[in-house]
Amino acid sequence: MCGIVGYVGEKQAAPLIIEALKKLEYRGYDSSGISVLNSEGIFTAKKKGRIQELESMLDYSKIEGTLGIAHTRWATHGIPDEINAHPHLDCSGKIAIVHNGIIENYASLKEVLISEGHRIVSQTDSEIIAHLIEKFQKQGNPLEHSVKKALSLVEGTFGLAVLGTDKFGGPRIIAAKKGASLIIGIGNNEIILASDATAIINHTRKVIYLNDDEVAVLSKDGCFITKINGERVKNQIQEIKWSLEEIEKKNFKHFMLKEIMEQPEAVQNALRGRINGAVPKLSLKIDVNKTKRIILTACGTSWHSALIGKYLIEKIAQIPVEADYASEFRYRDPLISETDLVMAISQSGETADTLAALRQAKSKNAQTAGIVNVVGSTIAREVDSGIFLHAGPEIGVASTKAFTTQVVALALFALFLRHEKGIKDSPELMRELSMIPSKIKEFLTSAEGQIGGIAKEFYSSKNFLYLGRGVNFPVALEGALKLKEISYIHAEGYPAAEMKHGPIALVDDEMPVVFVATQSASTFDKITSNMQEIKARGGRIITITDEENSSIKSLSNFLVLVPKTIEELSPIINVLPLQLLAYKIADLKGLSIDKPRNLAKSVTVE
Ligand code: M6R
């Protein structure tokens, strides 16, 4: 899980690729490195830590060259240090590579290479690629063929950029992809290669999404793509629609806060053009009559959306649904048949486990669909059809607007299925859905101060408990996950009624307990009893509710009022205070909110 950048053009490569690389830092940030090619050979610099640390040791006036590659790393094989940082060089120093992915058979390949006399210096799986290419180039193969020969030996995934010189064609970058995203930006007399569009958009909006098993030769003569097996591929140039403004932080202190605050627009965009009277307009290729069961599969926050999706689809469309962690589903050899519809939910569209689960479903002839944010991502391209979130890029590692737009997409999907099944349409739900963006806005415009106050009260707590019932149980899980990942406070989400089967033992006057207790919930009365149980044990209660009443008020130490909506849609509103609470606590603790320790935005390794 790393970020890759490459440049071929007329400008000086080093400053340009370092700037572009910074846009990819969210993919990993334990070390970084750069290689630039000029007439004297390849200059390489690497540094442990953030890209800024690499940048501050570079003297651009001494790094001339108009071809270069760079990499920001999230370690998988080998500790984060300068030796393991990319680029990796071959023995001669004439080939430099940057790699995102995992080479599963690297140990056996390494052994062979060492026995053949190659000097392998790092503990990474990636370095062997440079030596394999060297071996094939020394046998007289052109650089491109040497890369293809090397890749035909490796098992695993790669987004790869190789910097070198071909004895026939001159200096070039060879890019190759399998299971890790790689995009080629086509500018005026320049080509920018990157793991995703955020690094390219400053230079050009014209891009080619490289497909698995494709290899691109990037040189002053342009971009030439073939498959690893040699078959020619036509360049399919597409235009990126996201604006630069959407990608930048604007005036917010962190991307996470910006992304929380832009949820009214994000949700509006997710609904745009999809509400048509009582029937949602979605272009899905699903045979609903054939579908006996739906399996929603995802990881992390997207799995929490899947749990809500189960509730929504079963209630609205009356089709049985399972919500499965992709990492569990894929290794369980699940019983799947063509009467199943497997839907992968993923913000990035690149999560390795979700992608593998999807591929497994396809191999068992299930119908497939996706709910994905990143257009052109691998999952988006591999599903039979799907729903894009249109949430815009999500840069903060903690997922916020992806969650709310996923729930919106799932509600639309449930209504779509209901209609296709011939069940009477639900205009009330559609109407309420169309009002959700203004309700989100109503809450967010006034909430920051109050939630900031609650955060001040609890930011030094060691543990938090989040409780909810029904459709709001996954909201409790999501609130706990948000807090854990950015504030490093231990937190657990539980169905409120389960509390007395164990977690209640943890409750004392040190323990903040967050109740998601909107009154629209059919279990509202039960939740107030759970609150009594916590209160009786001295727990400090923060309640998220939609109507102030005297019993809730007397039980709660803090009461957060959210706009009223119907139960099915309440997770979209109820998660907002939990996102803000996690954010405010992490901010008070002075933590690295957008890039929390040990985490990366898209988990493209298993
Ligand atoms: O891109 P995806 O939605 O597939 O990512 C899944 C998880 O890795 C992601 O939701 C993760 O849990 C977030 N950091 C949560 O905030």
Side-chain angles (χ1 to χ4, degrees), residues 299-302 345-349 351 354 397-399 406 478 481-482 485 600-603:
C299 301
T301 287
S302 299
I345 306 177
S346 173
Q347 186 285 129
S348 61
T351 300
T354 311
V397 163
S399 202
Q406 281 166 348
E478 176 61 5
L481 176 64
K482 289 289 88 86
E485 65 183 334
K601 182 65 184 163
S602 45
V603 184

Side-chain angles (χ1 to χ4, degrees), residues 123-183:
Q123 301 157 324
T124 66
D125 51 339
S126 311
E127 187 187 346
I128 58 122
I129 303 174
H131 295 274
L132 286 172
I133 299 169
E134 173 189 18
K135 170 173 160 175
F136 293 119
Q137 221 187 5
K138 277 197 177 140
Q139 290 170 2
N141 293 293
L143 185 60
E144 178 193 353
H145 292 180
S146 305
V147 173
K148 286 180 174 170
K149 277 175 175 281
L151 294 181
S152 67
L153 294 179
V154 304
E155 287 161 19
T157 54
F158 48 82
L160 178 76
V162 179
L163 180 67
T165 305
D166 184 82
K167 68 176 170 187
F168 308 108
R172 56 202 47 221
I173 292 172
I174 314 284
K177 170 186 180 322
K178 186 175 184 179
S181 62
L182 214 47
I183 302 172

